[in-house]
Amino acid sequence: MDWSTHDSPSLLSEGDITQHDLVDVLTIAGHSLALHNATLPVNMLPNEIFVEILRLAVTGIELDGMTWMASAMGTCRHWRELIVNTPTLWSDIELSKNLHFVELCVTRSDATNISVHLPMQPPNELPVTIDFLPALSLLAPHHRRIACLDLCLTPESTDWTANLSQSLSSTLEAALPALVSLSLTTRPGFHLRLQGNHLPSLRNLSLTSVTVEWTCLQQLSRLTSLTLNDTTHPNDCRGPLASLLDLLEACVWLESFIYERWKIFHGQAIPNDRIVSLPRMRHFYISGLPTDIIQVTSRISLPREAHLSLESFDLHTDAAPSNEFPVLWAVLPRDTTRLPVLADVRHVMVWFERYKLLVHADAHRSTFWDSYASKSSNCKVAPSAPHSPESDAPVIPSLCIVYRLSGAESDDYVLANAARELGALFPPTVETLVLRGAMDVVRTTVWARVLAAFPRMSHLELGAIECDIKTFPPALALTPGGPPCPRLRKLVLRYEPNEEDGGRQMLSELYEVLRMRDGAGCRLESLSIQVEPLGDDMLFMPSDVVSRLPPDLEEIERNLESVVGSLEIMLLIDDD
């Protein structure tokens, strides 16, 4: 059809346009466009659903969700009217924006509760000083609407003045009846005074580099989450340990507690029978020196479902005579009845790397154990729910301990000393044991003690660093009471072949003990031998590693295949 010559009353001719006022023409065009947009599927959704879509879209924007929202307003008149007139879409206010935009958000959020944020600046960007004082003044009439306050006020990003400190104190010490979550990072020396009757709804509190009295915190008895990071507590007449226990005792609803401490408790006379029960706790984390951590862990009682995370600094391994020193016992009490998480353990990992030792233990072998996160030292993060749809991150284990080491030569004995303590700490029902570290200093008697402690173990992995594991095979040999670990089905040995025999002694002795175990009805289902280059081989060819293997490796391989269900010998490259 030729639209240029078709006689239709719905179209305006050139002559008609000259006879109409231009404003009328634009109005007609606007109405036509609005009618067309109204027929689009997205605009036919109920307003509640469309608003929820926009809210989820903004939540998924990592960089700047509110700026994206403002851009979305330009899509069409319907979108603009809906966004402008929906207060909840303006309730998330970032104070690093220009003051006019902050004021716009405060106004358009109307009477709804608001969340106020001043995020930490990215570390790879040049710091930009923010004038925070006008924003605080702008929020003053809206204190009663603040539900979430997350402020990172570091000296690098904030122009600290006496007026700013006073204004910030006025904001935080005002009546904030709707405030549910407060996270505050300041420069050292900022004194925060909290009053429980001003914060009736507060449930989540996180303070970093803040000066706050213990008695103020003890007023907040309905907290469910509390994080104290490098905080200072003046006027502490009872001492930090007693005050900390008083705080835990007062906050009976606590589910998550994170306490990062850098100062020593000093010797405090605390009765040994002073035990604080935390029946609702789900994640308990504390960091500090071993002497401080043990004073806390020996005086708390956790429920069975709680996760216990500890981060220890300086084991003083270089000061121990004969390189024997406590590792697990340095931070965990001898009486573990009040830490039932230890009674249910079925899977244990002790993983040594330079400058750190990781200890993980759990009742269930979740996806965590096969993930990269199992080798991470981040045990501070609160655990996700077992089937939480909010995150794909693996669930952290029930027990997570990180030891920060000094790098002394005596650190090589950390794994040997930890292995010596395993049987006394964990129950005989352990099924999986993964150990990695300097294996050449672990005596056969220690290996025998480990195997005897866990008769139900079915999966054992040993990873040696810059050595082989020749002291281990004799511990697998038959004893007058029968074979150690009769349920052992999978064995993984990872080692670095030396120049002397390439691990021949270890592999030959392994064959002999596996042959005897096979004859006793304890045949191994799976054996994995993993060979990696020496630690000092920065550049190597696979042939260099192969040349260090025993010359009669093929015969050893045939022998091993005859006494196990399946055998694999792997050459590892790039830790793969």
Side-chain angles (χ1 to χ4, degrees), residues 458-534:
S458 61
H459 184 131
L460 176 61
E461 294 187 29
L462 303 179
I465 296 180
E466 299 183 10
C467 61
D468 59 20
I469 324 173
K470 62 169 61 73
T471 60
F472 170 72
L476 274 177
L478 300 182
T479 67
C485 295
R487 301 186 183 184
L488 187 63
R489 294 296 176 264
K490 182 173 183 178
L491 177 62
V492 179
L493 299 180
R494 179 172 178 170
Y495 78 103
E496 300 177 2
N498 54 48
E499 294 182 350
E500 298 175 2
D501 67 353
R504 187 182 189 284
Q505 176 185 343
M506 177 191 73
L507 296 175
S508 298
E509 291 186 359
L510 180 63
Y511 162 68
E512 290 297 332
V513 297
L514 291 180
R515 182 177 62 82
M516 291 187 291
R517 291 175 65 91
D518 184 30
C522 293
R523 187 181 181 87
L524 201 64
E525 291 181 358
S526 172
L527 173 62
S528 177
I529 306 294
Q530 301 177 1
V531 183
E532 59 182 351
L534 289 176

Side-chain angles (χ1 to χ4, degrees), residues 128-158:
V128 178
T129 302
I130 299 173
D131 188 2
F132 183 56
L133 189 57
L136 286 179
S137 302
L138 186 64
L139 290 171
H142 306 278
H143 284 168
R144 303 185 68 85
R145 294 201 290 129
I146 299 177
C148 175
L149 199 55
D150 185 355
L151 305 177
C152 183
L153 301 168
T154 59
E156 296 79 16
S157 63
T158 308

Side-chain angles (χ1 to χ4, degrees), residues 395-456:
V395 179
I396 70 169
S398 297
L399 176 66
C400 177
I401 307 177
V402 179
Y403 298 85
R404 304 292 180 182
L405 305 174
S406 63
E409 292 185 5
S410 53
D411 288 352
D412 289 342
Y413 292 85
V414 169
L415 178 71
N417 285 289
R420 194 176 288 113
E421 301 168 342
L422 290 175
L425 179 65
F426 297 115
T429 51
V430 166
E431 301 171 2
T432 302
L433 181 61
V434 179
L435 303 178
R436 180 181 187 270
M439 300 287 181
D440 53 346
V441 296
V442 183
R443 299 188 183 95
T444 300
T445 53
V446 174
W447 289 125
R449 189 187 310 173
V450 171
L451 297 179
F454 306 124
R456 300 186 183 181

Side-chain angles (χ1 to χ4, degrees), residues 1 43 58 99 144 160 206 244-245 278 290 313 356 408 422 547:
M1 180 178 294
N43 289 334
V58 171
L99 194 61
R144 303 185 68 85
W160 276 93
S206 176
L244 174 61
L245 295 177
L278 303 170
F313 300 93
K356 71 179 179 182
L422 290 175
S547 65

Side-chain angles (χ1 to χ4, degrees), residues 66-110:
M66 290 307 296
T67 300
W68 180 88
M69 181 70 74
S71 300
M73 292 168 55
T75 303
C76 65
R77 184 181 303 170
H78 173 66
W79 283 34
R80 176 180 173 79
E81 292 177 353
L82 191 60
I83 292 174
V84 168
N85 295 310
T86 303
T88 55
L89 293 178
W90 300 92
S91 61
D92 198 83
I93 303 172
E94 185 175 323
L95 299 182
S96 61
K97 304 300 176 188
N98 66 72
L99 194 61
H100 173 71
F101 189 77
V102 172
E103 184 176 11
L104 189 66
C105 290
V106 171
T107 302
R108 288 179 175 173
S109 62
D110 197 19

